[in-house]
Amino acid sequence: MKPGQIFLSDYKAPTYQILSTELTFNIENDVCRVLQKSSYKSIYSNSPPHALFLDGSESLILESIKLNGIELSASAYRVAPEGLTLAAPPAEFNIEITTLLGPHTNSSLEGLYAANNGQMLCTQCEAQGFRKITYFLDRPDVMTIFTVHIQADKKKYPTLLSNGNLTQSKLLDNGRLQVTWHDPHKKPCYLFALVAGDLGLLKDEFKTLSGAKVSLEIYSAHGTQARCHHAMESLKKSMAWDEQRFGREYDLSTYMIVAADDFNAGAMENKGLNIFNSRLVFADSATATDVDYFNIEGVIAHEYFHNWTGNRVTLRDWFHLSLKEGLTVFRDQEFSMDMSSREMVRIDSVADLRSRQFAEDAGPNAHPIRPESCFAVDNFFTSTIYEKGSEVIRMMQTMVGRPGFRKGMDLYFSRHDGQAVVIEDFAKAIADANNQNWEQFKLWYSQAGTPQIKVQESYSDNDQSYTVEIEQSCPPTPNQTTKKPFHIPLVIGLLDERGVELEFTHPQVAVNSEGQKLIHLKEQKQSYIFKNLKSRPHLSINRQFSAPITVNFERSLAEHIFMLRHDTDSFNRWEASQVIMAEQFKVLLKDTANKIDKRYLEALGELVTNTDLPEDFRAALLTLPDNEYLSQSLAMIDGPSLHNARSNFQKQIAQALEVSLISLYKQFHGINTQSKSAKDFGRRRLKNLALRYLCHIETHLPLAVQQQQNAANMTDEVAALSILVDQPKELRSTAIHGFYERWKNESLVLNKWFQTQALSTSTETFATVVELMKHPDFNIKNPNRVYAVLLRFGENLVRFHDEKNPTYKFMADQIIAIDKINPQVATRVAGAFDTWQKLAPDQKKKAHVELQRMAQSGLSKNTYEIVSKQLAAELP
């Protein structure tokens, strides 16, 4: 049966408030009994509604229900798979509901479930997991004060945690431990958390600006505490940064993080008790890469920042998810910029946005930042909601400047602390604080798709004037065939023939508090005439990627090379390199006998050896855009052809720059191998990229073999493995076997082993993936393992779309199977079919057959929504 849709337009305010909630969890061997005592009050004091629906789940076993202390008769309520209806509740009442849960059989990893091989119980309630614990108003605009009692066997569960402050802990006569936690802050139930287990503890302390001492606690499996120090340091940095940048202090006496091996997402910001996927907590130089260190710091910060942007001020309903997620991604990106390199964090963020979010905007599951409808709110956790939402907030900061943005943030918190609000409330606070009118700007929230601008320029020697014409458009997306013009802020600059920044003024060009010069593009087409310029300038537009758009600016290769060499905006120097690479790649895609232009090779050779440039920036200039981004501009995706063109491109770069690449590799290999500084991260990034290029020349392959065998850190070892898995069988199998034997007892490292093989461009990859599914270390119930194998294979455009193998049938079989275990995981894997309409006719038919089969297989509403949208645009 086709699941029903829900619509933003159907939103209705809750008819009841929940004044307080007391929960008692009695944990036995295989079950947990939950007693909920809540106090309800109708917002209609004179005429309460005739019925009240409480969200629930078919997995709940209802043991008893009392209203004002009296057991309800069967006629007073009705239980259905989706919840419980009270027939005629009074305007004010106290309710007691007892439910029985089976956490060890809960494979969805929502509600209360068993993790870490059954050694720990934990919760995940975002978005709608609380209804798997008890019957409740499971919606973010219902906020209440929680008091939580937990009782369990002390030997098995000596660690019992929940939100807020610990107010009582006592050992009972029967050897059971009982604790009480109280959270003084109102919160919706999606922020509720509970953990029970036998866990090790790393403790520290943070002193806030006002002098309050906060106990910092990271809980994880015994013996892993040494790997939590980086997470702890990241937390302290986050707390200090949020105080300095946004004036936000922490508001409880304790801040806790728990590492769980089984977790659907990366982490969850539950008030005072964050639950993290272990891969985003554990780090040491032997087992974690530089990227792991960076990601852990960023995600620790993200979840901490949610304390104010998500917890203290939360969202009214799930359609406004970007209110907290887009804003908090913006905050964690700003934090990461301040902790390392603003330029490189920006470049890497944009590269990721273009690969994932631009593809989402161009595909069957395109949706606005504030969607209009859905089948399952869990599906809102997308790159559009998060990353594009962040970009819209960054545009706000660009338009008003940092001081103005801080002023708007202060007003936002002042107005809405303790409330559940909507996206427009945030935009209004920033606009009001800076006397802005952003009615048109708000279209970024309601219109899907990636806007495009077409730039045309001309120069007149007669009157020394330079004219720029900019025209905007946005392609049709599902349910939105036409779009109104966006308000697009474009940071611009003009360079002279030597690359020197020109000073200029223009009545239509604003200057923000950082001195950035801004064009506010609001019409479909606008012209700008710059006068008194002695020669034709070079236009640098959309600096720092000031708007998440595609710029179509027809320039000669010589002009792009000029910008690559001279643009004073580091982002646009990188952008020039990306444009050149994409254009040269298309030349090779047409015919692999074609050659990369020598002028570009010469410029690239100069830049990658320019010691005035940071190593990580040089690596970025040398990095070819990934296949996901390159394929967006192609009419048809042919995996093997993408691979051949890419390999040819990299080989030509290697041959042209061989001497320089060898020099770079030798210069930085083996230097400061244990350093965690951003500079040494950049050096390793550059030298490992040099190694990847060099290995396209067969005589240099021994360098990769030696690096894997002698690696002093995981960054170098994984870099070498990722090169060797693409090589002929003997080198490939030796590398894979050697890595496994060395790390077979390290679960998080094995995720890298699985993932690297699934992403390989080898013709053996599909057969390998099939075998990996049978591997003793693969567990289809563990999200990390499924993502490492199936999600990554689905992202492998080269081998997932190889017509020689039945990859689509294989993937559909896995999605159907996983959907019965964990719909959220299946939904993510199903994204592999998003590009099916761009396949060759025969491949398209194969994918279409499997999409139809999945749609008719009784999928969960989560996975059905993704598959049905993929099918919505049928074969031509």
Side-chain angles (χ1 to χ4, degrees):
M1 184 177 72
K2 179 180 177 180
Q5 282 184 278
I6 56 175
F7 296 87
L8 170 62
S9 59
D10 290 339
Y11 172 82
K12 293 180 180 178
T15 55
Y16 278 86
Q17 298 174 329
I18 304 179
L19 305 180
S20 64
T21 296
E22 184 176 6
L23 298 170
T24 301
F25 290 80
N26 199 326
I27 301 170
E28 300 291 348
N29 289 330
D30 298 319
V31 298
C32 178
R33 183 168 281 101
V34 181
L35 171 61
Q36 175 209 153
K37 296 181 180 180
S38 294
S39 177
Y40 281 70
K41 182 177 181 180
S42 172
I43 63 171
Y44 306 106
S45 56
N46 296 324
S47 55
H50 297 298
L52 175 63
F53 179 77
L54 303 180
D55 298 291
S57 165
E58 59 187 356
S59 62
L60 288 178
I61 298 175
L62 178 64
E63 287 198 333
S64 67
I65 179 169
K66 295 180 181 179
L67 199 69
N68 293 329
I70 300 173
E71 192 85 31
L72 287 183
S73 64
S75 61
Y77 67 94
R78 183 176 71 257
V79 176
E82 309 81 40
L84 181 152
T85 302
L86 296 175
E92 294 186 40
F93 64 90
N94 296 319
I95 194 168
E96 297 180 29
I97 300 175
T98 303
T99 52
L100 193 64
L101 315 180
H104 292 276
T105 58
N106 180 3
S107 64
S108 71
L109 310 189
E110 294 179 284
L112 181 67
Y113 67 92
N116 296 14
N117 294 317
Q119 300 303 303
M120 179 176 86
L121 302 186
C122 66
T123 56
Q124 170 58 13
C125 294
E126 188 181 30
Q128 296 179 332
F130 194 78
R131 64 189 61 188
K132 293 190 173 185
I133 294 173
T134 187
Y135 294 98
F136 206 74
L137 291 177
D138 188 356
R139 46 189 291 168
D141 56 353
V142 174
M143 305 168 75
T144 186
I145 298 292
F146 281 88
T147 301
V148 180
H149 313 284
I150 314 170
Q151 188 186 118
D153 182 272
K154 188 179 187 309
K155 290 183 179 179
K156 189 172 183 180
Y157 299 111
T159 303
L160 300 175
L161 310 174
S162 192
N163 312 84
N165 299 311
L166 180 66
T167 60
Q168 185 185 64
S169 178
K170 62 180 180 181
L171 186 62
L172 305 179
D173 293 339
N174 56 4
R176 292 173 67 78
L177 178 65
Q178 180 174 296
V179 301
T180 298
W181 292 83
H182 176 72
D183 187 350
H185 300 279
K186 288 195 306 179
K187 64 176 181 283
C189 64
Y190 85 86
L191 291 172
F192 169 79
L194 178 147
V195 171
D198 184 0
L199 301 170
L201 171 62
L202 177 67
K203 291 193 70 170
D204 208 325
E205 187 176 89
F206 181 83
K207 188 175 182 180
T208 69
L209 277 177
S210 62
K213 290 183 179 180
V214 181
S215 176
L216 308 181
E217 302 174 356
I218 300 181
Y219 294 85
S220 62
H222 289 289
T224 61
Q225 281 62 58
R227 296 183 181 181
C228 299
H229 286 288
H230 176 65
M232 183 65 82
E233 290 305 309
S234 300
L235 176 59
K236 290 191 289 184
K237 288 180 183 178
S238 306
M239 299 176 81
W241 183 88
D242 209 20
E243 288 181 340
Q244 183 273 325
R245 178 69 187 275
F246 289 109
R248 300 296 108 192
E249 286 193 25
Y250 187 59
D251 52 8
L252 290 169
S253 62
T254 306
Y255 189 89
M256 299 170 283
I257 291 173
V258 177
D261 293 341
D262 305 274
F263 202 73
N264 284 335
M268 177 57 203
E269 71 268 16
N270 319 293
K271 182 71 179 178
L273 176 57
N274 292 180
I275 301 176
F276 270 65
N277 194 312
S278 296
R279 66 181 175 82
L280 289 167
V281 175
F282 297 156
D284 59 34
S285 57
T287 60
T289 65
D290 296 344
V291 173
D292 291 332
Y293 275 94
F294 178 84
N295 288 342
I296 289 169
E297 183 177 78
V299 177
I300 291 283
H302 180 96
E303 304 308 333
Y304 173 74
F305 297 154
H306 266 311
N307 187 61
W308 279 92
T309 51
N311 296 2
R312 288 285 290 259
V313 184
T314 195
L315 59 156
R316 186 196 74 179
D317 59 77
W318 292 108
F319 290 94
H320 291 269
L321 177 61
S322 196
L323 174 78
K324 71 182 185 76
E325 295 301 348
L327 177 54
T328 306
V329 168
F330 166 79
R331 277 156 49 74
D332 80 53
Q333 288 178 352
E334 285 288 296
F335 167 78
S336 294
M337 287 176 175
D338 287 344
M339 294 301 107
S340 53
S341 160
R342 295 197 68 84
E343 292 78 11
M344 283 310 303
V345 171
R346 187 66 184 134
I347 286 170
D348 289 342
S349 297
V350 172
D352 180 70
L353 179 85
R354 286 172 164 174
S355 293
R356 300 195 302 123
Q357 196 283 318
F358 277 25
E360 197 167 85
D361 259 348
N365 283 287
H367 57 274
I369 293 172
R370 187 193 58 229
E372 298 295 328
S373 67
C374 70
F375 290 96
V377 298
D378 300 303
N379 291 349
F380 284 157
F381 294 79
T382 65
S383 185
T384 297
I385 301 294
Y386 279 65
E387 281 74 30
K388 187 174 182 179
S390 169
E391 292 298 320
V392 171
I393 289 163
R394 186 170 298 282
M395 285 191 284
M396 294 183 192
Q397 177 175 268
T398 299
M399 289 191 289
V400 302
R402 275 195 177 196
F405 187 77
R406 168 64 189 271
K407 186 179 176 182
M409 288 284 285
D410 289 345
L411 180 60
Y412 173 65
F413 293 127
S414 173
R415 282 179 176 175
H416 301 298
D417 187 14
Q419 297 177 12
V421 298
V422 297
I423 282 171
E424 287 82 358
D425 292 320
F426 176 79
K428 181 172 173 52
I430 306 298
D432 287 353
N434 294 279
N435 299 313
Q436 301 286 310
N437 182 344
W438 283 353
E439 286 307 308
Q440 182 181 0
F441 183 78
K442 292 175 186 177
L443 290 172
W444 282 99
Y445 287 118
S446 58
Q447 293 187 158
T450 301
Q452 302 176 1
I453 65 168
K454 182 180 180 181
V455 181
Q456 292 182 306
E457 60 179 356
S458 61
Y459 178 76
S460 171
D461 289 308
N462 293 332
D463 59 3
Q464 295 185 334
S465 65
Y466 174 63
T467 302
V468 178
E469 290 188 348
I470 307 176
E471 184 175 4
Q472 66 163 297
S473 61
C474 188
T477 53
N479 303 316
Q480 289 186 343
T481 55
T482 59
K483 312 293 173 70
K484 295 178 181 179
F486 289 83
H487 175 180
I488 303 175
L490 296 168
V491 177
I492 66 166
L494 298 177
L495 308 174
D496 69 13
E497 62 275 6
R498 296 167 299 158
V500 176
E501 195 86 19
L502 289 171
E503 289 297 325
F504 65 92
T505 59
H506 190 285
Q508 292 175 278
V509 176
V511 181
N512 70 9
S513 60
E514 275 80 64
Q516 296 171 320
K517 295 182 177 179
L518 282 164
I519 286 174
H520 290 275
L521 182 64
K522 296 183 178 181
E523 307 298 329
Q524 184 177 351
K525 191 172 185 178
Q526 290 176 225
S527 295
Y528 305 85
I529 301 175
F530 302 88
K531 297 180 179 180
N532 301 318
L533 298 174
K534 295 180 180 179
S535 61
R536 174 187 168 275
H538 301 271
L539 174 64
S540 177
I541 193 166
N542 205 32
R543 289 183 151 190
Q544 299 176 26
F545 200 67
S546 57
I549 61 175
T550 298
V551 177
N552 298 311
F553 192 175
E554 289 190 12
R555 281 173 154 165
S556 67
L557 176 62
E559 179 71 2
H560 285 307
I561 290 174
F562 177 89
M563 302 305 286
L564 171 61
R565 282 186 165 130
H566 299 295
D567 202 325
T568 54
D569 180 69
S570 58
F571 175 85
N572 271 356
R573 291 187 80 176
W574 172 78
E575 175 75 321
S577 177
Q578 294 289 285
V579 171
I580 296 169
M581 283 183 162
E583 291 179 353
Q584 295 293 305
F585 178 85
K586 290 177 184 177
V587 170
L588 298 182
L589 195 60
K590 290 179 181 177
D591 187 346
T592 54
N594 289 327
K595 299 295 182 182
I596 297 174
D597 195 287
K598 290 182 179 179
R599 292 171 293 173
Y600 169 61
L601 292 174
E602 180 184 338
L604 190 61
E606 292 173 7
L607 290 165
V608 298
T609 56
N610 184 348
T611 55
D612 291 333
L613 298 175
E615 288 81 10
D616 51 5
F617 184 62
R618 284 187 270 165
L621 295 179
L622 192 57
T623 302
L624 178 65
D626 60 29
N627 286 337
E628 288 78 9
Y629 179 60
L630 290 169
S631 65
Q632 291 171 33
S633 62
L634 302 177
M636 187 177 75
I637 295 176
D638 181 337
S641 293
L642 281 173
H643 172 59
N644 292 337
R646 192 178 195 86
S647 296
N648 189 1
F649 191 106
Q650 292 171 320
K651 187 172 184 178
Q652 288 192 45
I653 295 283
Q655 290 170 335
L657 307 183
E658 184 176 10
V659 174
S660 297
L661 293 171
I662 292 171
S663 176
L664 288 171
Y665 184 77
K666 289 181 177 179
Q667 181 182 357
F668 297 124
H669 184 60
I671 302 299
N672 298 333
T673 57
Q674 303 302 307
S675 170
K676 302 300 177 293
S677 72
K679 185 171 184 62
D680 285 312
F681 282 3
R683 287 170 170 171
R684 284 192 285 271
R685 180 173 179 171
L686 179 57
K687 72 103 177 179
N688 281 321
L689 181 59
L691 177 64
R692 176 168 289 280
Y693 274 108
L694 286 170
C695 286
H696 283 273
I697 302 173
E698 193 172 338
T699 55
H700 293 303
L701 280 170
L703 288 176
V705 175
Q706 292 165 16
Q707 178 165 306
Q708 186 195 359
Q709 292 174 347
N710 303 318
N713 56 61
M714 186 54 64
T715 299
D716 285 353
E717 191 162 356
V718 169
L721 177 66
S722 68
I723 292 168
L724 295 171
V725 294
D726 292 339
Q727 305 308 318
K729 192 167 187 178
E730 185 175 343
L731 275 178
R732 170 185 165 87
S733 60
T734 300
I736 290 170
H737 177 74
F739 191 96
Y740 179 78
E741 287 301 313
R742 183 174 179 182
W743 298 109
K744 60 186 176 183
N745 295 320
E746 292 286 348
S747 177
L748 293 181
V749 179
L750 280 187
N751 288 333
K752 305 179 194 303
W753 181 77
F754 280 104
Q755 172 178 297
T756 304
Q757 294 176 78
L759 288 170
S760 170
T761 58
S762 167
T763 55
E764 302 294 320
T765 297
F766 176 63
T768 299
V769 167
V770 172
E771 289 304 309
L772 288 176
M773 297 286 293
K774 305 172 187 174
H775 196 279
D777 289 306
F778 181 81
N779 179 1
I780 201 169
K781 293 183 178 181
N782 179 267
N784 285 347
R785 285 288 192 265
V786 175
Y787 297 153
V789 178
L790 294 174
L791 187 64
R792 299 297 169 247
F793 181 59
E795 294 170 349
N796 186 342
L797 296 185
V798 174
R799 294 304 163 204
F800 182 59
H801 297 303
D802 189 341
E803 62 181 2
K804 295 179 181 179
N805 293 304
T807 56
Y808 305 144
K809 182 181 185 306
F810 165 80
M811 189 66 83
D813 288 342
Q814 308 313 314
I815 292 167
I816 292 169
I818 295 168
D819 188 63
K820 292 179 171 57
I821 300 168
N822 189 326
Q824 285 193 36
V825 173
T827 299
R828 292 190 63 183
V829 176
F833 287 90
D834 279 352
T835 56
W836 76 276
Q837 290 177 307
K838 296 186 83 171
L839 300 173
D842 288 346
Q843 287 290 89
K844 189 184 292 187
K845 289 177 183 177
K846 292 177 186 176
H848 188 259
V849 166
E850 299 307 327
L851 284 167
Q852 285 185 316
R853 180 165 68 92
M854 285 191 287
Q856 296 166 6
S857 67
L859 294 172
S860 67
K861 60 183 179 181
N862 302 67
T863 310
Y864 178 83
E865 177 169 18
I866 301 301
V867 171
S868 65
K869 287 181 178 179
Q870 289 164 337
L871 271 172
E874 292 284 345
L875 286 166

